[in-house]
Amino acid sequence: MSALSPLTPHQATIFNLLKTLESEVSAQMIYAELRQQKHRLGLATVYRGLKHLQLQGAVQARLLSNGEAVYSLVSEEKLYVTCVKCGISVPLAYCPIDEQVLPQALSLRFKIFYHTLEFFGLCSPCLEQETVA
Amino acid sequence: MSALSPLTPHQATIFNLLKTLESEVSAQMIYAELRQQKHRLGLATVYRGLKHLQLQGAVQARLLSNGEAVYSLVSEEKLYVTCVKCGISVPLAYCPIDEQVLPQALSLRFKIFYHTLEFFGLCSPCLEQETVA
DNA sequence: AATGATTAAGATAATGATTATCATTTTAAC
DNA sequence: GTTAAAATGATAATCATTATCTTAATCATT
Ligand SMILES: [Mn+2]
Ligand SMILES: [Mn+2]
Ligand SMILES: [Zn+2]
Ligand SMILES: [Zn+2]
């Protein structure tokens, strides 16, 4: 996360809220929380702000199996085990890399079917558009 | 993928289609393709069949950034680079593990912001329900 | 074979997070 | 201060997925 382009007050508010949270949160939850704190902003602004922060490389998103996206700061490594049936997503203590050591990293018992490793960033065309605009 | 519990004709059809495909496909695409092949089945049956195969550990799903799920056989390791702006998802040739070697594995140039490693399977309660029922 | 129970399937409405739209306000530039 | 550009709010539209409900197969038992 290099220098962030200037944030609007609302974007900064969203960013600061994420800083205070240790867990992932959905856009809807951010919206509800900020309204609770008497911030007068719209839901669309939350989505737009999150997208902006994501394009800066400051915020990361993860899609839950129910189709909902959860957001958090780009910082420590995130590793989860997710149940394909009920969708429960349990964070792991550390990155096992090897499936053999997974049971040690996981308190609960999971029967693992598969895993995915995915990198997120900007492709060449989009990166150019970002640097220009 | 151990012994599969008996599949219905429709479930077998879906499974066989996935076997013939080398790339991931959405439920909607499976539906369209099978209808094209004059199979008379409903969209809901496709979703139910995929869910069934997923619970057997035979099929895996991945959520695209547009919220659409794509399915494939549980087999070779899947690794992708996804653009946070346009959502394009490019498969990598091999598993780099280390971010340092990522550029070598990727023909296109991506600016990587973060990555996620996620395991999928059945949690204890759901596994029990599966073995019983 | 007939009966009844259980599961699968089809059709379609409902869901709900996300996105698009557009009018309005705020900010920045000159 | 005037004008252009960007941000915002409110709300409608989108659309993959899920839920619902009815009908059709499938299976076990007599
Ligand atoms: Mn791996
Ligand atoms: Mn890692
Ligand atoms: Zn579960
Ligand atoms: Zn892109």
Side-chain angles (χ1 to χ4, degrees), chain A residues 57-110:
Chain A
V59 163
Q60 65 181 298
R62 185 170 71 98
L63 280 170
L64 302 182
S65 54
N66 66 4
E68 191 179 34
V70 285
Y71 303 83
S72 62
L73 293 186
V74 170
S75 48
E76 70 283 6
E77 173 132 12
K78 297 291 166 50
L79 175 64
Y80 301 90
V81 182
T82 301
C83 177
V84 293
K85 189 173 184 189
C86 68
I88 186 178
S89 203
V90 181
L92 293 189
Y94 62 93
C95 181
I97 296 293
D98 188 348
E99 275 185 69
Q100 308 308 330
V101 292
L102 178 62
Q104 304 173 21
L106 185 60
S107 55
L108 314 177
R109 274 176 236 298
F110 261 74

Side-chain angles (χ1 to χ4, degrees), chain A residues 97 115 117, chain B residues 77 95 97 117:
Chain A
I97 296 293
H115 69 274
L117 178 58
Chain B
E77 171 133 13
C95 181
I97 296 293
L117 176 59

Side-chain angles (χ1 to χ4, degrees), chain B residues 58-132:
Chain B
V59 164
Q60 66 181 297
R62 186 170 71 98
L63 281 170
L64 302 182
S65 55
N66 64 4
E68 191 179 33
V70 285
Y71 301 84
S72 62
L73 294 186
V74 169
S75 47
E76 71 284 4
E77 171 133 13
K78 297 293 166 48
L79 177 63
Y80 301 90
V81 183
T82 302
C83 177
V84 293
K85 188 175 184 187
C86 68
I88 185 179
S89 202
V90 180
L92 294 189
Y94 63 91
C95 181
I97 296 293
D98 188 347
E99 274 184 70
Q100 308 307 331
V101 291
L102 178 64
Q104 305 173 21
L106 185 60
S107 55
L108 314 177
R109 274 177 236 299
F110 261 74
K111 178 175 184 179
I112 303 297
F113 287 151
Y114 64 92
H115 69 275
T116 64
L117 176 59
E118 194 157 0
F119 293 86
F120 293 87
L122 285 173
C123 70
S124 290
C126 289
L127 182 56
E128 278 192 45
Q129 288 175 39
E130 281 301 301
T131 50
V132 175

Side-chain angles (χ1 to χ4, degrees), chain B residues 28 43-44 47-48 68-69:
Chain B
Q28 306 274 353
L43 178 58
Y47 278 104
R48 282 187 286 233
E68 191 179 33

Side-chain angles (χ1 to χ4, degrees), chain A residues 32-41:
Chain A
E33 172 62 23
L34 292 181
R35 296 291 294 219
Q36 201 67 219
Q37 298 178 13
K38 303 307 175 193
H39 286 98
R40 195 172 280 96
L41 85 173

